């Protein structure tokens, strides 16, 4: 048994063949069928709510994470982000400002849980791949935990994100070509024996993303009517949805919010599957988009996103490049400086606002500091 491992088995199983996650290795996918791991059972619910604790941020929800009580929690002060109301005509939108997390994106919620699990398992070296934000988050938390990090990014990822990764002491590996080329390169490293601390494949971070649901209920005093979130691999929307499910199971909220997923028109596989099934999916391109954080051609949690959207009577929305750049501009004019990937929620909300109940929450995922809306001048 690895020192610091949870006393019980990991609560994960393969979505392909059902095999349990092994006790003594950290595979990123099932070594038998190649399937993706997910939670095999509903996770622990916050025991009392709202939580009365002197801890701040994510540490308040520590008991809901797949960590043994003796494991250290690797924190940079993530979570506990503001919820800001903005009036739109007769309605009020609530923006959850997760771009204000320590490394400038919501990824810190999942990374804190994942890196805590890796450190508890005795991992000293790991690889990760990212369009930028997850890599920057991983580099920072790995530095905090004393884990050596190697991060594969598309060569076209924003300069500030790459600089942030290197500044934390991680080794940056820039890969030419689309986002999927970096993913292929890191899998080759994993197949050669590296621990692949993938925020997309490994399920640990989903319970970190679920803390958004707990915070939203605490901040609103009720469950939202609808939650609008960008969808790349889908871990954000799925994590939030399961957080609400956990609260409902515990009788802490009455009903689940409608889950609204947003993709960029240039690369919208989950939207295509939602609107046209497998026929639509086969036509999807990995086109150029300013929403680099959700440019994912093969989303690992696409099925789980569709299940969350359909079971809550939500929907998938697609937005054009013009719409997302205008969204960026309008958000900035309300004082919210976010990256184009985050700004997709603004036009998406306007598309569906007449059909969704209050309170409406949109998740702002990444800071504008490291990915400005217009490409910098050459
Ligand atoms: Zn399997």
């Amino acid at each position: 048994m690895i020192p610091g491992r949870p006393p019980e088995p990991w609560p994960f199983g393969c979505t392909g063949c059902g095999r349990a996650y092994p006790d003594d290795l950290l595979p990123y996918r099932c070594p038998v069928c190649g399937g993706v791991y997910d939670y095999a059972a509903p996770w622990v619910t916050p025991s009392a709510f709202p939580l009365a604790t002197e801890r701040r941020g994510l540490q308040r929800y520590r008991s809901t994470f797949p960590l043994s009580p003796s494991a250290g929690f690797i924190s940079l002060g993530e979570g506990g982000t503001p919820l800001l109301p903005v009036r739109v005509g007769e309605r009020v939108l609530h923006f959850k400002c997760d771009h204000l997390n320590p490394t400038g994106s919501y990824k810190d919620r999942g990374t804190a849980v994942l890196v805590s699990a890796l450190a508890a398992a005795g991992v000293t070296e790991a690889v990760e791949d990212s369009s930028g934000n997850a890599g920057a988050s991983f580099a920072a938390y790995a530095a905090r935990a004393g884990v050596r990090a190697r991060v594969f990014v598309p060569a076209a990822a924003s300069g500030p994100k790459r600089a942030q990764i290197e500044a934390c002491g991680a080794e940056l590996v820039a890969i030419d070509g689309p986002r999927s080329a970096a993913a292929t390169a890191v899998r080759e490293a994993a197949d050669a024996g590296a621990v692949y601390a993938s925020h997309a494949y490994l399920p640990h971070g989903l319970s970190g993303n679920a803390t958004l649901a707990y915070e939203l209920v605490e901040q609103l005093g009720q469950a939202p009517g609808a939650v609008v979130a960008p969808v790349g691999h889908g871990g954000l929307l799925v994590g939030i949805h399961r957080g609400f499910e956990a609260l409902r199971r515990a009788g802490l909220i009455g009903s689940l919010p409608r889950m609204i997923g947003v993709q960029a028109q240039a690369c919208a596989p989950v939207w295509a599957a939602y609107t046209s099934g497998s026929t639509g999916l086969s036509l999807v391109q990995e086109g150029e988009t300013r929403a680099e954080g959700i440019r994912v051609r093969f989303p690992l949690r696409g099925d789980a996103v569709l299940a969350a959207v359909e079971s809550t009577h939500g929907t998938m929305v697609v937005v054009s490049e013009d719409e997302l750049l205008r969204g960026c501009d309008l958000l900035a004019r309300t004082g919210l400086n976010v990256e184009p990937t985050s700004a997709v929620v603004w036009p998406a909300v306007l598309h569906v606002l007449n059909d969704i109940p209050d309170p409406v929450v949109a998740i702002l995922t990444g800071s504008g500091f490291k990915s400005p809306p217009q490409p910098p001048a050459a």
Side-chain angles (χ1 to χ4, degrees):
M1 179 166 157
I2 301 171
R5 271 262 305 108
E8 298 87 29
W10 294 102
F12 312 137
C14 170
T15 54
C17 68
R19 281 184 173 78
Y21 198 79
D23 277 347
D24 54 351
L25 296 166
L26 284 163
Y28 69 96
R29 63 180 173 188
C30 176
V32 178
C33 78
V36 178
Y37 287 108
D38 199 348
Y39 281 76
W43 58 55
V44 182
T45 305
S47 49
F49 202 79
L51 296 176
T53 158
E54 290 175 5
R55 289 177 179 164
R56 294 193 45 171
L58 241 62
Q59 300 210 48
R60 305 171 65 219
Y61 310 109
R62 193 189 186 293
S63 64
T64 67
F65 304 141
L67 299 170
S68 73
S70 62
F73 190 73
I74 308 297
S75 177
L76 290 169
E78 61 292 321
T81 54
L83 184 68
L84 294 184
V86 173
R87 183 162 283 284
V88 178
E90 307 265 293
R91 304 281 291 274
V92 174
L93 304 183
H94 299 269
F95 286 104
K96 181 64 169 162
C97 298
D98 247 35
H99 61 297
L100 300 180
N101 271 298
T103 75
S105 84
Y106 84 93
K107 301 282 188 187
D108 292 344
R109 294 179 187 267
T111 307
V113 177
L114 176 56
V115 172
S116 297
L118 295 179
V123 171
T124 56
E125 227 178 303
V127 297
E128 162 71 306
D129 66 310
S130 165
S131 64
N133 278 333
S137 181
F138 182 70
Y141 282 80
R144 177 85 168 151
V147 172
R148 266 177 53 86
R150 189 155 43 114
V151 181
F152 292 67
V153 300
S158 91
K161 288 178 185 172
R162 290 189 297 168
Q164 192 182 6
I165 291 168
E166 287 190 300
C168 293
E171 181 189 343
L172 184 92
V173 186
I175 304 291
D176 286 327
R179 169 74 180 80
S180 51
T184 303
V186 78
R187 282 197 301 269
E188 286 168 5
D191 292 342
V195 171
Y196 180 16
S198 172
H199 65 285
Y201 276 99
L202 292 173
H204 305 68
L206 293 173
S207 59
N209 294 345
T211 60
L212 273 161
Y214 313 148
E215 288 182 14
L216 287 172
V217 173
E218 289 180 310
Q219 288 171 309
L220 291 166
Q222 65 178 101
V227 175
V228 183
V231 171
H233 275 296
L236 173 63
L237 187 144
V238 169
I240 295 171
H241 173 63
R242 292 189 187 168
F244 285 118
E245 280 188 321
L247 296 180
R248 187 177 66 169
R249 258 196 320 279
L252 297 166
I253 59 172
S255 61
L256 298 175
R258 296 188 195 185
M259 297 304 298
I260 317 287
V262 192
Q263 299 205 290
Q265 206 164 48
C267 185
V270 183
W271 171 80
Y274 178 75
T275 53
S276 317
S278 54
T279 319
L281 203 51
S282 65
L283 301 173
V284 173
Q285 307 281 322
E286 187 177 342
E288 293 295 329
T289 173
R290 294 289 296 150
E292 60 183 5
I294 51 171
R295 188 186 176 200
V296 178
R297 171 66 187 86
F298 299 104
L300 292 173
R301 310 220 176 261
D303 289 343
V305 170
L306 290 175
V309 165
E310 284 167 1
S311 67
T312 60
H313 308 290
T315 191
M316 289 296 303
V317 180
V318 74
V319 302
S320 70
E321 291 300 296
D322 283 351
E323 283 180 309
L324 74 86
L325 286 175
R326 179 153 172 74
C328 226
D329 186 44
L330 290 171
L331 281 164
R333 285 161 192 272
T334 65
L336 296 165
N337 177 21
V338 299
E339 65 177 349
T341 304
S342 299
V344 298
V345 298
W346 179 276
V349 166
L350 300 184
H351 280 301
V352 298
L353 193 54
N354 288 337
D355 303 319
I356 53 177
D358 287 326
V360 176
V361 172
I363 313 292
L364 296 178
T365 49
S367 170
F369 288 148
K370 49 184 171 173
S371 186
Q374 298 295 341

